[in-house]
Amino acid sequence: MPGPFPFRRPALGPARPAMPCRPEEPPWSAEQLIHVVERSARAHDYSHVIRAIGRIFSDVHVLKRSFLRPRGSPVSDGPAPRLDLEGVRPVFSLLFSTGDSPFTAALAAALCRLSDGLCASLAARQHGWRRDPALLHVVALVLEIPALGSSEFLTLALPGLCRAAALLPAAAQARLVRLWARCPPARLRHMVHTLQQLISVRVVEAGAHGQVTDDPVLEAAVRLLGLLYRASLSGGRRDPPPPPAPGAAPAAVSELEVRPSDCRVPLVSWEEFHNEPLSEAVEFDHDFRLYQEHPDRFCLLRHPFALTPAARALALFYMSRVRMYREGRQAVLRAPSLGPAALPHLPLRVRRQWLVQDALCQLETVARDSPESLKKQLVVQFIGEQGVDEGGLSKEFFRLIVERLFSAEYGLFTYSEETRCHWFRPSGGPPERDAQYSLAGLILGLAIYNSVTLDVRLPAVAYRKLAGRRGALEDLEQLSPTLHRSLSAMLEYPGDDLEEVFVQTFQVGYTDGTGAQRSYELVPAGRHRTVGRHNVREFADRYADFLLNKSVRRAFRAFRRGFQLVTDETPLWSLFRAEEAELLLCGSQEQRKAFSGEWSALEKRQSLPKGSRLIGLDPFIADDRLLRVRGRLEFSDLMYEEKHPILLPMDQEMRSAYEKFPDLLLMDSTYKLLDIRTPVFTILTVDSFGRGVPLAVFLVTNETAHMIGAMLRVWLTDKDRAEKAAIKDVFPDCDQFLCSFHVLQSFRRELNLASVEKGERERILGVLQQLDELVESATVTLVDSPGGLTACDRAGRVAVSSTACDCLFYRHYSLPCRHIMAVRLEQGMCLFSQELVGQKWLLSFAADHLEAQLDCRVPFAPSVSTRSLPPGKPPRTERERYRQLLNVTSQIASVGCELTGAEHRQLLDKLTTMLHFLQQRRSFLIVEEVDGVPTNDSDLPTDAPPSDVADADLTDLHSPTADPDAGELVDLKATGRP
């Protein structure tokens, strides 16, 4: 088997005559290809374009020299200065401007050859690709093709391109990220959706054979998606890097090292990188083992951007439980003399009236003497109360201690009625306050580690600071919207008299930790420096930095120190962004904001406010801290989610969308889920529980707008006039048909109500049934009309001639239909002529098509060739063998149930005989039944030579084959012998 490197083995025999060298293909420009496409479109002959595509996109050496900026023209300062991506995009738009492009198959075949050559080139230049940086142009060019997500490319072309991109070294990947960071967001989003489609297809295929992470194509696709993710972060709106330490040079950050916390708004939204099928298919026990033990192996925990937040929360829960089990097991093996450190869990004995003091004393001792014990499972016991902590006592402990630490009694945090959030009190106060802040951070870290949801109302900037970032001016809106609006008004003030209007200096006032009013100068001698047009931005940034960072430095430092005691060794910030960490700890806040009055009343165990919209729903706060409906289904046998649905607030955007689209229809297609590789479309609607309900399924030969529209034009209903009128109003051009079953049923019901005798009624129904069968088998009727002939049949009326027809079959397949055959038969013409067949069925078109794909230089000679498909994977387990046999027997049962009488009994006898032979481990014969051969076992000649029949196992059964001599299909018959 040839290796990945393009070398030749030395000849062992006499030297062969040298083959003539093929002349090197000249490079192509975007203008040249556009000219060829437009000229071919005018001539309706695309053979030249197909040949050009085969020459350009199948050869690495040609493509890397094509589509470059002309020499002497201004070049960009980006990572690929000579590559003309802006000129290539109109070319691709022109090629795929129609839904059924004639170039798709040619381009797909060319890209398959290109990906093989590109992989070989990159593998050979893994450590010296800088000598040929144009290979990066090839990767960037082919990934710009807008049709990569179609069915023709997903199977062969796109997986090869992903493998080629994965072979790029880190320096080349960084240049590719810089190139994509300058792309339009819509183009970057299209590439993301294309890769997400490939990943979903590979998940469906790989899920039936083992771990999804073992699929090399899926690995390459996820790695390439990671480059697009970093490009989205690098090109988005980011915070400035933190200032270097005094005397230190600023650190150079590569595009591959950009963290999610550095980016405020990416080019492509965070949610578009999440892949739900991949998140559902991953097995975190296997993935976590690779993450810990094999740093060089691919695992999804190193690519968390592709997982949904729910999947990452499950991964963090699994990792925490593994760490708890490991710490508990090590503690059991320690000497009993170590005391509490040798227990398999972290015991916490507290008194309800001294909850904060007891917890602070014990946790502070554990953190000082045995910090690894904080990683054990927390077990809480309330002194003086009986109970075993199975999770309920821990949740109650967390709820009570958070209420006390964040209450005004302790004075650690201030509460804003405007934002309904807590914030750290400015530095000041006694030294023991730092220990209380550390306890608050430790409690939040333990809650995340033990998967407990808390009702903690901290702004998102607090979690950004926990992730290592600093608060900025735009974060001030979460803390004080009024102050943020005031500073924004100063920044946006258009006049030159800003000093006289606002009268503000660089001195601000605040309340310290003791409650005293103090002033602070943002710059030295700030009380003498007035804020004007030239320094208003500096004032706003320094003011926000003081409120969010400097004034709470001491309190937040102690808080973060306690938080990191538990989370320092967990991949919290590599798995979650700051906003996602808030959801992880507190859950969704939308219900609390929309139903604040109801939420507050339910927490205090009070009745709902008068006039509340939720009174009739009997809401309650569940254990997952979500507002749910109690309702009348509480004691039913339904699932918990169905008995107690979640209450969701409806905002103005949702309300307007619902008014415009009260009913929702979803339509999508797939082709990888079928063995016949045919696009299948499914139309769904969504019920009240958010589950999809299938409405229609149809198969098409190609995914063109005309073909899909033809399927949506046909409606089958009963005689209901309201339904027919509504369909005609929404779909005025549709074809409506009445269901014969409902028509007969309605006629039979009306006939039963009428005063008709039984015998007459049965005769009328029999005549109606015969009429229905006659309509089903009706032939084509030709009618003369002013515009020509019109063919009438059960499908309707269409205009027809001896060479063309307006029916769907002729328009879609370009083959003669039954209407054309009826015209030619009536006019005495030959039923078949070459002019009736479309161009795509001719050998000349196939010759040009194949020549362009294979880049042949010899005339096309039609011949018959065969190719053996690679055998499928043999079944590995007894369950797989059972499923294969069950599939075959189910098909036999489906076919056999349609037989009646003697045929059914014969088939049943043969299958019973086969079962008898299999149970006795005996072989049997499969004899073809043709004309002239006996049809029963007793007529078989006993001296038949062994060559006429053959032994066969059950797996050797084939479908009926065609006898070339008899010219008809032949059946198979099984006979047995010892």
Side-chain angles (χ1 to χ4, degrees):
M1 186 173 180
F5 298 98
F7 65 88
R8 291 181 179 270
R9 293 182 178 179
L12 300 180
R16 298 181 179 178
M19 298 295 293
C21 295
R22 190 176 63 183
E24 186 178 6
E25 182 75 21
W28 286 69
S29 64
E31 292 77 11
Q32 287 178 299
L33 191 53
I34 290 177
H35 176 70
V36 173
V37 174
E38 293 176 346
R39 185 182 61 185
S40 299
R42 290 192 296 267
H44 299 285
D45 182 10
Y46 296 101
S47 58
H48 296 287
V49 183
I50 294 176
R51 289 192 183 94
I53 289 176
R55 293 168 182 170
I56 299 172
F57 292 96
S58 63
D59 195 338
V60 176
H61 302 286
V62 177
L63 188 57
K64 71 182 182 181
R65 294 183 291 111
S66 301
F67 307 113
L68 301 178
R69 301 178 188 273
R71 294 189 179 276
S73 61
V75 298
S76 64
D77 56 348
R82 294 206 58 202
L83 185 60
D84 189 13
L85 283 180
E86 292 77 9
V88 173
R89 288 167 186 151
V91 176
F92 292 144
S93 301
L94 181 61
L95 287 175
F96 299 97
S97 57
T98 60
D100 187 14
S101 175
F103 324 113
T104 302
L107 185 57
L111 289 181
C112 291
R113 294 187 59 191
L114 178 73
S115 60
D116 294 338
L118 191 59
C119 289
S121 300
L122 289 173
R125 302 175 183 272
Q126 181 70 23
H127 302 288
W129 74 276
R130 294 182 184 276
R131 292 174 297 178
D132 193 6
L135 294 176
L136 190 65
H137 297 179
V138 178
V139 178
L141 274 173
V142 295
L143 290 176
E144 286 284 338
I145 298 176
L148 286 179
S150 61
S151 58
E152 291 82 358
F153 296 91
L154 279 179
T155 306
L156 299 175
L158 188 55
L161 297 176
C162 292
R163 288 194 298 266
L167 291 175
L168 290 171
Q173 293 180 0
R175 291 184 61 180
L176 198 59
V177 168
R178 289 200 301 271
L179 177 65
W180 283 336
R182 303 187 178 196
C183 284
R187 186 71 203 104
L188 197 67
R189 184 177 295 107
H190 181 77
M191 288 190 283
V192 170
H193 292 173
T194 299
L195 288 177
Q196 292 284 31
Q197 189 173 356
L198 174 62
I199 292 173
S200 299
V201 169
R202 300 302 298 190
V203 167
V204 174
E205 290 186 343
H209 302 291
Q211 300 291 337
V212 294
T213 52
D214 296 337
D215 184 7
V217 175
L218 187 141
E219 174 185 350
V222 172
R223 291 185 185 276
L224 184 56
L225 184 65
L227 297 183
L228 294 174
Y229 177 72
R230 291 171 179 83
S232 176
L233 299 181
S234 181
R237 182 163 57 87
R238 295 190 293 170
D239 285 338
V253 179
S254 170
E255 284 76 8
L256 300 180
E257 300 175 356
V258 178
R259 298 183 303 172
S261 59
D262 299 334
C263 183
R264 294 277 185 173
V265 181
L267 294 178
V268 181
S269 64
W270 311 97
E271 292 77 12
E272 293 183 70
F273 288 94
H274 301 161
N275 190 287
E276 292 189 3
L278 183 63
S279 303
E280 295 175 358
V282 63
E283 297 183 9
F284 286 112
D285 54 347
H286 175 75
D287 208 67
F288 180 63
R289 186 166 60 253
L290 295 178
Y291 178 79
Q292 275 200 327
E293 301 175 2
H294 303 281
D296 56 335
R297 294 276 301 275
F298 170 76
C299 69
L300 289 172
L301 288 178
R302 297 193 184 94
H303 303 81
F305 56 85
L307 301 176
T308 60
R312 280 176 275 152
L314 181 61
L316 185 64
F317 171 81
Y318 181 83
M319 298 165 74
S320 300
R321 288 300 180 270
V322 170
R323 180 64 185 271
M324 289 179 185
Y325 173 78
R326 184 181 305 165
E327 292 293 338
R329 184 173 179 272
Q330 292 178 357
V332 172
L333 299 177
R334 292 170 184 162
S337 59
L338 294 180
L343 295 177
H345 55 267
L346 175 60
L348 194 62
R349 302 179 73 252
V350 294
R351 296 167 293 179
R352 288 185 179 270
Q353 62 273 25
W354 302 100
L355 190 65
V356 175
Q357 291 80 355
D358 291 347
L360 176 61
C361 180
Q362 296 181 49
L363 292 177
E364 190 176 30
T365 303
V366 172
R368 182 183 64 249
D369 299 339
S370 179
E372 65 275 2
S373 296
L374 295 174
K375 308 298 193 306
K376 301 177 184 177
Q377 184 176 0
L378 181 65
V379 176
V380 177
Q381 179 185 0
F382 289 96
I383 298 177
E385 301 179 12
Q386 294 183 354
V388 179
D389 189 4
E390 295 291 342
L393 293 179
S394 298
K395 292 181 179 179
E396 184 180 6
F397 163 75
F398 280 113
R399 181 179 63 83
L400 293 175
I401 196 169
V402 164
E403 288 179 356
R404 304 225 182 146
L405 287 175
F406 284 83
S407 65
E409 174 187 356
Y410 283 87
L412 299 179
F413 301 90
T414 61
Y415 181 74
S416 172
E417 292 290 345
E418 185 180 13
T419 60
R420 298 180 181 273
C421 289
H422 294 90
W423 187 243
F424 302 90
R425 190 174 292 277
S427 300
E432 58 269 15
R433 178 164 293 181
D434 292 350
Q436 295 175 346
Y437 277 119
S438 296
L439 175 63
L442 182 60
I443 292 298
L444 265 61
L446 286 174
I448 291 179
Y449 188 73
N450 288 270
S451 303
V452 177
T453 303
L454 299 180
D455 186 15
V456 177
R457 303 178 184 179
L458 288 173
V461 63
Y463 299 93
R464 286 183 58 83
K465 290 171 65 65
L466 285 174
R469 306 301 300 176
R470 293 175 62 86
L473 177 61
E474 60 182 297
D475 297 319
L476 189 60
E477 185 178 9
Q478 307 166 13
L479 188 63
S480 177
T482 302
L483 180 58
H484 183 266
R485 287 193 297 267
S486 301
L487 293 178
S488 299
M490 294 179 66
L491 292 172
E492 298 171 0
Y493 185 72
D496 297 332
D497 55 346
L498 188 145
E499 298 181 5
E500 292 78 10
V501 172
F502 290 95
V503 193
Q504 178 64 48
T505 65
F506 274 76
Q507 184 180 22
V508 295
Y510 72 101
T511 304
D512 66 358
T514 61
Q517 296 293 326
R518 297 184 179 275
S519 60
Y520 179 80
E521 294 183 348
L522 302 177
V523 295
R527 62 180 179 274
H528 303 299
R529 186 178 177 184
T530 307
V531 177
R533 171 62 52 196
H534 61 288
N535 58 8
V536 62
R537 168 58 66 178
E538 179 187 4
F539 169 76
D541 291 339
R542 289 182 177 272
Y543 196 5
D545 181 64
F546 169 73
L547 293 177
L548 297 176
N549 303 312
K550 293 182 178 179
S551 64
V552 296
R553 180 179 301 166
R554 173 184 164 187
F556 185 80
R557 187 179 299 170
F559 179 82
R560 187 183 182 191
R561 183 170 59 249
F563 185 82
Q564 289 180 335
L565 284 175
V566 186
T567 62
D568 57 344
E569 297 181 4
T570 62
L572 175 63
W573 301 119
S574 63
L575 293 177
F576 298 93
R577 297 181 290 112
E579 296 79 6
E580 294 171 340
E582 180 183 6
L583 293 176
L584 183 67
L585 178 63
C586 310
S588 177
Q589 303 290 327
E590 296 298 326
Q591 288 183 321
R592 303 177 192 181
K593 295 178 182 178
F595 310 117
S596 58
E598 292 84 351
W599 189 280
S600 177
L602 291 174
E603 279 193 326
K604 298 176 182 177
R605 303 182 184 275
Q606 299 175 355
S607 59
L608 296 180
K610 293 184 178 180
S612 173
R613 299 172 294 171
L614 308 181
I615 289 182
L617 300 177
D618 192 14
F620 70 100
I621 301 177
D623 293 338
D624 52 6
R625 305 297 295 172
L626 292 176
L627 202 59
R628 294 180 177 270
V629 177
R630 194 183 307 276
R632 56 185 176 84
L633 302 176
E634 183 176 4
F635 301 104
S636 65
D637 297 331
L638 299 176
M639 300 293 292
Y640 183 80
E641 297 289 339
E642 298 178 354
K643 290 192 297 184
H644 305 296
I646 302 174
L647 285 171
L648 296 178
M650 177 180 291
D651 54 14
Q652 184 59 37
E653 183 179 357
M654 296 170 60
R655 187 176 292 106
S656 60
Y658 181 78
E659 291 174 355
K660 293 179 181 178
F661 307 102
D663 294 316
L664 182 65
L665 289 179
L666 310 175
M667 184 175 69
D668 198 5
S669 68
T670 181
Y671 78 104
K672 294 294 291 185
L673 299 181
L674 296 180
D675 294 336
I676 59 176
R677 294 297 190 264
T678 299
V680 54
F681 278 81
T682 305
I683 301 179
L684 301 173
T685 188
V686 180
D687 62 5
S688 58
F689 294 104
R691 297 173 300 195
V693 179
L695 299 179
V697 178
F698 57 89
L699 300 172
V700 295
T701 56
N702 53 69
E703 301 179 66
T704 61
H706 182 71
M707 175 71 74
I708 300 173
M711 301 301 297
L712 297 177
R713 285 182 53 190
V714 180
W715 287 82
L716 185 68
T717 62
D718 56 9
K719 66 180 185 61
D720 192 300
R721 295 183 178 181
E723 292 180 2
K724 297 171 61 178
I727 293 174
K728 199 66 178 178
D729 183 47
V730 179
F731 302 95
D733 298 329
C734 71
D735 299 329
Q736 295 190 24
F737 296 94
L738 290 177
C739 174
S740 60
F741 171 79
H742 287 90
V743 171
L744 290 174
Q745 188 181 41
S746 177
F747 189 84
R748 187 179 294 108
R749 183 172 57 251
E750 297 293 336
L751 197 62
N752 291 331
L753 296 177
S755 57
V756 180
E757 296 181 0
K758 182 178 179 181
E760 185 69 15
R761 182 167 61 246
E762 292 179 353
R763 190 183 68 83
I764 295 175
L765 291 176
V767 172
L768 189 62
Q769 185 69 34
Q770 293 178 5
L771 288 176
D772 181 67
E773 295 175 356
L774 181 63
V775 171
E776 289 289 336
S777 60
T779 58
V780 178
T781 303
L782 298 178
V783 180
D784 290 328
S785 60
L789 287 176
T790 300
C792 304
D793 59 2
R794 60 184 301 271
R797 303 165 64 92
V798 293
V800 64
S801 66
S802 61
T803 57
C805 183
D806 287 341
C807 68
L808 294 178
F809 179 85
Y810 181 79
R811 295 203 305 265
H812 292 165
Y813 294 100
S814 300
L815 291 174
C817 60
R818 63 180 182 272
H819 310 113
I820 296 178
M821 293 296 181
V823 174
R824 298 178 73 89
L825 183 64
E826 181 176 343
Q827 297 179 357
M829 303 174 62
C830 179
L831 291 182
F832 181 78
S833 177
Q834 185 173 341
E835 63 180 359
L836 301 177
V837 180
Q839 182 184 8
K840 62 182 179 180
W841 302 106
L842 301 181
L843 284 177
S844 57
F845 180 83
D848 296 336
H849 188 66
L850 292 176
E851 181 183 352
Q853 292 187 38
L854 303 177
D855 201 14
C856 298
R857 296 295 187 269
V858 298
F860 176 77
S863 62
V864 179
S865 62
T866 60
R867 183 185 63 173
S868 60
L869 296 176
K873 295 183 178 180
R876 296 174 296 181
T877 63
E878 181 180 355
R879 180 177 179 84
E880 293 182 4
R881 294 193 294 270
Y882 173 79
R883 293 181 61 183
Q884 287 187 357
L885 295 175
L886 181 63
N887 184 25
V888 176
T889 54
S890 299
Q891 296 181 26
I892 294 175
S894 300
V895 176
C897 68
E898 300 176 0
L899 304 178
T900 58
E903 293 181 350
H904 181 266
R905 289 194 299 272
Q906 290 178 8
L907 176 62
L908 190 60
D909 293 341
K910 293 176 183 179
L911 294 178
T912 305
T913 304
M914 291 171 57
L915 177 61
H916 177 68
F917 289 150
L918 288 174
Q919 290 175 343
Q920 296 183 356
R921 298 295 189 270
R922 300 168 60 189
S923 60
F924 53 89
L925 303 178
I926 304 296
V927 180
E928 297 181 352
E929 186 178 73
V930 296
D931 295 339
V933 177
T935 59
N936 54 54
D937 297 345
S938 61
D939 296 333
L940 283 174
T942 57
D943 56 348
S947 58
D948 293 343
V949 292
D951 293 335
D953 294 327
L954 186 61
T955 56
D956 295 331
L957 292 176
H958 299 283
S959 58
T961 55
D963 186 357
D965 298 328
E968 59 182 1
L969 291 179
V970 296
D971 295 330
L972 300 179
K973 183 176 181 180
T975 62
R977 67 177 184 184

